[in-house]
Structure formats: structure tokens, C-alpha cells
Amino acid sequence: MTTLAVGDKAPVFALKDQHGKLVRLSSFKGQRVVVYFYPKADTPGCTQQSCNLQDAFPQLKKLKSAVVGISPDPVEQQLKFADKYGLKFPLLADTDHKVAEAWGVWGEKSLYGRKFMGINRSTFLIDGSGKVARVWPKVKVDGHVDQVLQAIREI
């Protein structure tokens, strides 16, 4: 698992969002994009993270920044999650986890002694030219959105 570093070109993606619309990283060219990877829709940590980003969405828009969430959940699950919590940004279905692998966030995890493969909660800030401006590996949800907003203000 190789993690992206600041200055790296962000790997391209083309994934379906919660409405079945294809979303490409290139469609955000010229603006900053917060790309966050979360393990599973509608679970406690992922819900808190997504709702915190939704709460900050007006500030992010003012800072000319977009938000994209990516998880291995299918489109239908992403739609239920977005509708249940009023999430207004794209939630992308990476069901074969190829994008997560390309971004270096797919790896071995452990829960109650059981080992399995999954997404390591991570956030990337992509600048207007498509390069990685900031990386937050193994995100702790509390206070994370404030870190992201601060980083956007700094670039």
C-alpha cells in the first residue's frame, strides 16, 4: 500500500455517485477538492464524518472547494445514506475498491482480532491543478473538518 504524498498528481477516477451519475476528478479542474475515503456508509464514524463535512459545506463552497466521499458501498447504499442525512455532495461507489487501491487507502484492518481488507479512513486535499496539497491518513473524526478548513485557507 503506497500512500500519496504532497505534490503527487492525484490518481484519476470516474465513479458513479449516489444518483448513478459518473463523476470524474477532472470535472473539478481549477478548484480544490476534498476527497475523503470512508469504510462504510451509515456507520457511526462515517456518518459523523460525512455530516461534519455537510455542516461545513457552505464554508467549503465559499472557499471554492468541492467535497467528494468515496466508499466501497454500491450506488443504492450511497443514495440511502445521502438521503437519510441530507448530504449534498457526491458520494461515489468504489465497489471494486480500485480507486481506493490507487490512492493507497485499501489495506488490512483488524477488528476484534479479526483481520480483513478495507478502507483506511483518509482525506486528501487536491489543489486546482490536480496535485495533492494535504494528506490525512488514518483520520480521527473529531476535529477533522476544522483541520481541513484550515488547510484550505493556507493553500
Side-chain angles (χ1 to χ4, degrees), residues 107-118:
E108 188 174 82
K109 299 176 75 166
S110 181
L111 183 66
Y112 305 119
R114 187 176 66 90
K115 298 224 181 279
F116 59 98
M117 296 299 285

Side-chain angles (χ1 to χ4, degrees), residues 29-97:
K29 190 173 170 94
Q31 62 180 312
R32 294 172 289 217
V33 188
V34 176
V35 179
Y36 76 103
F37 288 85
Y38 58 101
K40 187 159 180 49
D42 209 4
T43 56
C46 299
T47 298
Q48 182 185 347
Q49 181 180 23
S50 299
C51 289
N52 289 351
L53 282 162
Q54 180 59 48
D55 290 345
F57 199 53
Q59 286 176 272
L60 289 160
K61 283 176 84 170
K62 272 187 200 159
L63 294 168
K64 295 178 178 43
S65 301
V67 178
V68 176
I70 301 176
S71 80
D73 298 295
V75 168
E76 306 77 37
Q77 193 73 29
Q78 301 285 28
L79 180 60
K80 280 184 198 167
F81 183 43
D83 285 351
K84 183 174 180 179
Y85 296 101
L87 306 174
K88 305 290 187 220
F89 46 81
L91 298 178
L92 308 183
D94 184 23
T95 54
D96 62 5
H97 50 81

